[in-house]
């Protein structure tokens, strides 16, 4: 497995528009993409070769809702881009590292994704991502 870069930092926010007032108004950054995904509203803000991924709960029962209720706003996860996500998942499984997604699945913004479990990663929720060649 080759880890190519930090693709994004996921940040849990209560209200995407309110967060954008800071991230794109207070800071000189730009929103390039928003998407509704699995009960969340997600906004992507490039920072150099990486992005900040703002995550707002929409459904009332998303992974972000539970996190916000427990911890409040803040960094939710780190995503690493890998060269081959299927091989990466198999390597982690062979090493006995606990995964949330034992098989890669379609994520936001045209990525194939797989999460590791925070209990296996020193308390940090980590995601592997790889751009999907054909998202359809
Ligand atoms: N970072 C670090 N630890 C976390 C965490 C996070 N973001 N979210 C949960 N945890 C910890 C909790 O603190 C808890 O620890 P304790 O048992 O010590 O209290 C433990 O993990 C279980 O957490 P929980 O609140 O009981 O929540 P769940 O078990 O329901 O779910 C998790 C936790 C990580 C499995 C779930 O949130 C998940 O599947 N996340 C992956 C999907 C996701 O987050 N999607 C949004 C991102 C979208 C994208 O980038 O594509």
């Amino acid at each position: 497995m080759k880890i190519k870069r930090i693709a994004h930092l996921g940040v849990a926010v209560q209200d995407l528009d309110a967060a954008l007032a800071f991230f794109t108004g207070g800071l000189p950054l730009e929103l390039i993409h928003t998407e509704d995904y699995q009960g969340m509203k997600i906004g992507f803000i490039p920072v150099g070769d990486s992005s900040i991924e703002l995550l707002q709960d929409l459904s009332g029962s998303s992974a972000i809702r539970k996190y916000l209720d427990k911890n409040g706003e803040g960094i939710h996860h780190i995503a690493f881009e890998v060269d081959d996500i299927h091989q990466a998942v198999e390597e982690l499984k062979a090493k006995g590292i606990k995964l949330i997604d034992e098989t890669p699945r379609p994520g936001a913004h045209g990525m194939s994704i797989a999460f590791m479990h925070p209990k296996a990663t020193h308390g940090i929720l980590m995601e592997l991502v790889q751009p999907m060649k054909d998202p359809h």
Side-chain angles (χ1 to χ4, degrees):
M1 159 183 19
K2 185 177 175 203
I3 294 181
K4 296 168 79 174
R5 64 186 177 109
I6 292 179
H8 64 255
L9 285 182
V11 176
V13 297
Q14 297 287 2
D15 182 303
L16 185 63
D17 290 335
L20 286 173
F22 166 69
F23 281 95
T24 65
L27 297 181
L29 296 171
E30 192 187 349
L31 176 75
I32 58 151
H33 177 73
T34 58
E35 178 173 339
D36 289 0
Y37 173 81
Q38 295 193 340
M40 294 168 276
K41 191 167 185 70
I42 300 184
F44 285 89
I45 299 172
V47 183
D49 199 28
S50 299
S51 292
I52 291 172
E53 183 190 66
L54 298 177
L55 302 148
Q56 178 200 317
D57 171 59
L58 284 180
S59 68
S61 57
S62 68
I64 289 301
R65 179 74 272 143
K66 198 166 178 185
Y67 183 86
L68 283 166
D69 290 348
K70 227 167 142 177
N71 307 286
E73 295 185 312
I75 293 180
H76 176 259
H77 67 271
I78 300 176
F80 296 119
E81 183 179 332
V82 292
D83 56 346
D84 182 336
I85 194 165
H86 290 274
Q87 183 203 22
V89 161
E90 291 311 315
E91 272 185 47
L92 294 176
K93 278 199 259 183
K95 289 177 181 169
I97 294 168
K98 190 174 175 194
L99 294 157
I100 294 168
D101 302 297
E102 299 228 329
T103 308
R105 61 185 164 99
H109 211 188
M111 294 283 180
S112 181
I113 67 167
F115 279 90
M116 288 170 253
H117 200 282
K119 292 290 171 206
T121 57
H122 297 263
I124 303 165
L125 181 58
M126 289 183 185
E127 179 184 20
L128 302 177
V129 305
Q130 182 187 7
M132 282 191 276
K133 287 182 186 71
D134 177 6
H136 309 289

